[in-house]
Amino acid sequence: MIETVDSLEIAIEIDRRSAEAGKIMPVLIEVNSGREPQKSGVFPEKATHLAKEISGLKNVRLLGLMTMGPPVDKPEESRKYFRETKKVFDEIKSLNLPNAEMKYLSMA
């Protein structure tokens, strides 16, 4: 599984190489829940659009989202980032997109 897909360009390259290998690659969309400029990942408000684009690829299976919240002083300060990512996860899951089975929500 590739857990760091944050653009259609990356997903297309994974799709191309997976097709060459005769495989289907499971992926997670990386969400930059804290909107941190030093981190990669798609912002939460763009994740659903990316999921729709990825779902059209034949050799990629979208299986969920992953995020790493920003560093905080108290663990409870991370909750708002995780809640937002869970909301996006649920939204994408409700769409029942082809080639997507929203099974995993990885948050650290």
Side-chain angles (χ1 to χ4, degrees):
M1 179 182 294
I2 298 174
E3 300 181 10
T4 55
V5 176
D6 66 355
S7 71
L8 181 58
E9 293 75 24
I10 290 172
I12 289 171
E13 183 64 18
I14 293 168
D15 184 65
R16 184 184 68 75
R17 291 182 186 215
S18 296
E20 288 173 359
K23 299 190 180 225
I24 295 174
M25 179 60 67
V27 302
L28 301 181
I29 291 176
E30 180 178 4
V31 179
N32 184 341
S33 58
R35 294 167 181 82
E36 298 170 88
Q38 74 276 18
K39 286 186 180 176
S40 57
V42 62
F43 286 179
E45 59 272 14
K46 298 195 182 253
T48 300
H49 179 72
L50 179 57
K52 289 176 182 178
E53 292 179 318
I54 289 173
S55 74
L57 301 175
K58 292 183 179 183
N59 292 87
V60 172
R61 287 290 175 272
L62 176 59
L63 294 185
L65 305 178
M66 69 81 64
T67 191
M68 293 185 66
V72 293
D73 293 329
K74 299 176 187 171
E76 56 271 8
E77 294 173 358
S78 294
R79 290 185 185 144
K80 67 180 178 180
Y81 304 107
F82 298 151
R83 274 194 297 271
E84 184 174 25
T85 303
K86 171 69 162 91
K87 182 179 173 186
V88 172
F89 176 88
D90 290 340
E91 178 183 328
I92 294 169
K93 187 173 186 171
S94 75
L95 296 174
N96 294 313
L97 297 171
N99 300 321
E101 182 183 355
M102 299 300 284
K103 293 172 44 171
Y104 302 107
L105 180 56
S106 175
M107 299 190 287

